[in-house]
Amino acid sequence: MSQKNVAWPPHVVRRLARIAALAPLLMVGIGVLGTSPDWFIAALFLGVLTVVLAIAVLMANATKGWVFFAGLLIGLAVTFGSGLVFQAWLMQSHGERTEVLITSVYHTRGKTGPIYHCKLKRTDGKPLAHAEIIGMGCNGTQDAGTTEDLLVDPSGWLDPQPVDTDFSSLPVGIASVGVAIGLWELTVWQTRRVGLREAAANPKAPGGPSGARPSADNRSKKKRKRR
């Protein structure tokens, strides 16, 4: 799955590589944005768009099949992995054990059966952001009127989570995201290398030396000849 690449001049290759190298900053930011239910849909759209554009920039330097698949897998890993890591870190460091009352329950149809949605409110009367849980701890209409302890983000950014949520894998998640970013930068470096090699082998590339405007000496020589 490879085809001949358009040979860009070296300065364009370097510029494209710099742009691609900065893409993980956007991916991480969008991943963090998507941890809030209020922003999840927008973040999903922006995340897919960012990964697609970043892959396009990589492939502008090296139109190889491996570049597409590497960019896709690594880009998604950085975007979604950073969101999961941020969510776990925020809830582990700031989550508060809070008693909530299940005020009502309704269900929707799922592929394997009904999916129950429990509406919540804090028993201490304080406001509760994203006052609904789906599935976890919400097992049926009999739960209405009962109380349950949940982990709640005081800032209101995250959904409530079960108090027994395991955060022991957080260091592994952080390391995995770091490795994914490193692999992305390695891919950028490799595509830059390919692009510069092809630019050297194709001096007539668009915008290269052959497409440059005549120098002042050449123009003066042509004027003398016409005289």
Side-chain angles (χ1 to χ4, degrees), residues 193-216:
R193 188 164 163 254
V194 171
L196 290 175
R197 185 171 64 241
E198 293 188 354
N202 296 273
K204 295 183 180 180
S210 63
R213 295 179 61 184
S215 65

Side-chain angles (χ1 to χ4, degrees), residues 147-171:
T147 58
E148 183 173 348
D149 286 344
L150 294 175
L151 274 181
V152 173
D153 173 20
S155 69
W157 181 262
L158 302 178
D159 272 336
Q161 295 183 20
V163 292
D164 58 354
T165 301
D166 184 12
F167 299 111
S168 62
S169 61
L170 180 58

Side-chain angles (χ1 to χ4, degrees), residues 112-181:
T112 58
I115 300 174
Y116 291 97
H117 303 245
C118 290
K119 296 288 188 180
L120 312 171
K121 73 174 183 179
R122 294 175 61 134
T123 57
D124 58 9
K126 294 181 181 178
L128 177 64
H130 316 301
E132 182 179 63
I133 55 174
I134 303 172
M136 54 175 187
C138 183
N139 304 310
T141 54
Q142 69 275 10
D143 288 344
T146 62
T147 58
E148 183 173 348
D149 286 344
L150 294 175
L151 274 181
V152 173
D153 173 20
S155 69
W157 181 262
L158 302 178
D159 272 336
Q161 295 183 20
V163 292
D164 58 354
T165 301
D166 184 12
F167 299 111
S168 62
S169 61
L170 180 58
V172 176
I174 294 173
S176 299
V177 172
V179 169
I181 293 174

